[in-house]
Amino acid sequence: MSPRPAPDLDRRRYRITRTARDLVESEGWSAVTMRRLASELGVTQPVLYSAFPAGREALLDAVAVSGFEAIAEALEAVEPEALARMHAYLDFAAERTHLYEAMFSLPSGLQFGTGGGPEPLQRAFAALRNAFPGPDSVRTEVAWATLHGLATLRIHGRLPASSASARLHLAHRMLTQLPENDSRGGGIDDG
Amino acid sequence: MSPRPAPDLDRRRYRITRTARDLVESEGWSAVTMRRLASELGVTQPVLYSAFPAGREALLDAVAVSGFEAIAEALEAVEPEALARMHAYLDFAAERTHLYEAMFSLPSGLQFGTGGGPEPLQRAFAALRNAFPGPDSVRTEVAWATLHGLATLRIHGRLPASSASARLHLAHRMLTQLPENDSRGGGIDDG
DNA sequence: AACGTTCTCTAACAACGCTAGCATTGCTGT
DNA sequence: ACAGCAATGCTAGCGTTGTTAGAGAACGTT
């Protein structure tokens, strides 16, 4: 019934993902081609497709999830306080630029928030949520959006680096020194 | 000395950029290839390189700048008040998803803020700045980051659509109902 | 009308993601 | 131990991509 042992696809996926992550961090996304990746692993291209039948995009998704694992760890490494975790978040984005890009710009989309999504995403979201206690997740969602905006605009050089610290502190004040909201904004009418 | 008239490169650049923008909005970025673009314009690929010697990336930058022109108009179209312009910003990002992506994700980077950069970028930034009056640009920068984060995360389906309105109103409160800051946060030590 | 310069097109290159088909591998049953 | 078999991995190729060199056409000048 099984004349030849099936390869350990989980382990293979892990190895490929790790190599892709190393490659993207050291040489950028343009270096992450299927050929280069196979060559780096000492195998040929079709092997990659045995681990990721959906192709390159699925592989990139795996790298992204791996990135969420890393940022979850980075956030959990500091005390569950707003400013500390905000700083950790922005540091992560600044130091691991290409990986951060993969987590947001490239993949097709995996949902955050209270709902589903892969476990590392929920972990990362929870790590931020713990730093912004409150009855609902809205503040955390806005905090994430603000951090993501700051990170992205900084990565792409959109904002002057000189006022980076001022921006972080203002964002921190905004997100913490504001009383709870009671005006029910509804949730049906969105653009 | 000039046996044949040089083509009007400015006009050519404009035409190419407009076609690329239409194409990206109707069929997404995967459709914007040099061949397809040339075919759409009734010319061949080398003509595109005469207008954009730096290649495809420069062309995408031009599309991005054109997008900033469009978002500047969208912001200027509503009254210079915070909530209205925030709404206009998010509507623009939601309705012209692919174009918005080009403006931030893809290009190499053109600086915002008070400093230089192409004129449309400064116009768009000024349109937002007028909605957030204050002594410096920091609040506007954070506002832009927050809006950009909300827009991006929404585009990629990262945040549940149900609480979109609640997020907008919280962000608006954060950015407006907070007194001016006097703690000099410095600007040297950034990550 | 012929020239000369400049532009534009044809054609091709290298590299990309991806896939069909063949050779190889390693277990199984006698 | 030896042959059979099924799933593996590799070789080779297809169709595209961005980009570029060299041939051909077009136009103003003389």
Side-chain angles (χ1 to χ4, degrees):
Chain A
M1 283 244 189
S2 62
R4 188 170 167 174
D8 188 344
L9 286 185
D10 282 333
R11 178 143 192 83
R12 177 174 293 180
R13 264 188 286 270
Y14 173 76
R15 254 197 272 246
I16 294 173
T17 305
R18 204 163 55 85
T19 304
R21 207 179 73 177
D22 293 347
L23 203 52
V24 83
E25 294 200 57
S26 60
E27 301 190 32
W29 277 109
S30 58
V32 184
T33 69
M34 299 301 265
R35 280 175 170 82
R36 173 74 189 276
L37 202 49
S39 158
E40 209 79 24
L41 285 157
V43 297
T44 54
Q45 296 102 295
V47 174
L48 306 179
Y49 290 89
S50 71
F52 295 95
R56 189 174 184 258
E57 202 141 339
L59 201 156
L60 266 51
D61 281 357
V63 175
V65 170
S66 145
F68 278 105
E69 209 158 340
I71 201 173
E73 286 173 16
L75 293 176
E76 292 163 356
V78 302
E79 51 192 343
E81 188 273 329
L83 186 60
R85 299 222 157 159
M86 289 174 77
H87 212 113
Y89 187 103
L90 293 178
D91 278 356
F92 181 92
E95 284 168 21
R96 312 180 74 168
T97 305
H98 297 299
L99 180 59
Y100 188 83
E101 274 182 7
M103 294 158 58
F104 291 95
S105 298
L106 302 158
S108 28
L110 306 167
Q111 192 138 324
F112 276 5
T114 58
E119 186 265 344
L121 267 81
Q122 300 190 37
R123 245 183 80 193
F125 186 83
L128 212 60
R129 179 131 170 57
N130 292 343
F132 293 97
D136 54 17
S137 301
V138 174
R139 190 180 298 254
T140 308
E141 289 172 9
V142 174
W144 192 296
T146 303
L147 288 170
H148 177 61
L150 288 172
T152 308
L153 294 178
R154 184 154 190 279
I155 285 174
H156 289 92
R158 299 298 210 207
L159 295 176
S162 58
S163 48
S165 179
R167 284 194 297 273
L168 172 58
H169 283 90
L170 175 58
H172 173 248
R173 283 209 310 138
M174 283 184 355
L175 289 162
T176 54
Q177 297 180 17
L178 200 69
E180 289 295 328
N181 191 3
D182 53 338
S183 75
R184 298 264 162 267
I188 314 283
D189 57 320
D190 47 278
Chain B
M1 285 249 186
S2 62
R4 186 168 168 175
D8 187 343
L9 286 185
D10 282 333
R11 179 144 193 83
R12 178 174 291 181
R13 263 188 287 270
Y14 172 76
R15 254 197 272 247
I16 293 173
T17 304
R18 204 164 55 85
T19 304
R21 206 179 74 178
D22 293 349
L23 204 52
V24 83
E25 295 201 58
S26 60
E27 302 189 32
W29 277 108
S30 58
V32 185
T33 68
M34 300 302 264
R35 280 175 172 81
R36 174 73 190 277
L37 202 49
S39 158
E40 210 79 23
L41 286 156
V43 296
T44 55
Q45 297 101 292
V47 175
L48 306 178
Y49 290 88
S50 71
F52 295 95
R56 188 175 185 258
E57 202 143 338
L59 201 156
L60 266 49
D61 280 359
V63 174
V65 171
S66 145
F68 279 106
E69 209 158 342
I71 202 173
E73 287 173 15
L75 293 177
E76 291 163 357
V78 302
E79 51 191 342
E81 187 273 328
L83 186 59
R85 298 221 158 159
M86 290 174 77
H87 212 112
Y89 187 103
L90 293 178
D91 278 355
F92 180 93
E95 283 168 19
R96 311 179 76 169
T97 305
H98 297 298
L99 180 58
Y100 188 83
E101 273 182 10
M103 295 158 58
F104 291 95
S105 297
L106 301 157
S108 29
L110 306 166
Q111 192 140 322
F112 276 6
T114 58
E119 186 264 345
L121 267 80
Q122 300 191 39
R123 245 183 80 194
F125 187 83
L128 212 61
R129 178 130 171 57
N130 292 343
F132 293 97
D136 54 18
S137 300
V138 174
R139 191 181 297 254
T140 307
E141 290 172 9
V142 175
W144 192 297
T146 303
L147 287 170
H148 176 61
L150 287 173
T152 308
L153 293 178
R154 183 155 189 279
I155 285 173
H156 289 92
R158 298 296 211 208
L159 295 176
S162 59
S163 48
S165 180
R167 285 194 295 273
L168 171 58
H169 284 89
L170 174 59
H172 173 249
R173 284 209 309 141
M174 282 181 357
L175 289 163
T176 54
Q177 298 181 17
L178 199 69
E180 287 296 327
N181 191 4
D182 53 338
S183 75
R184 300 265 163 263
I188 314 282
D189 58 319
D190 48 276

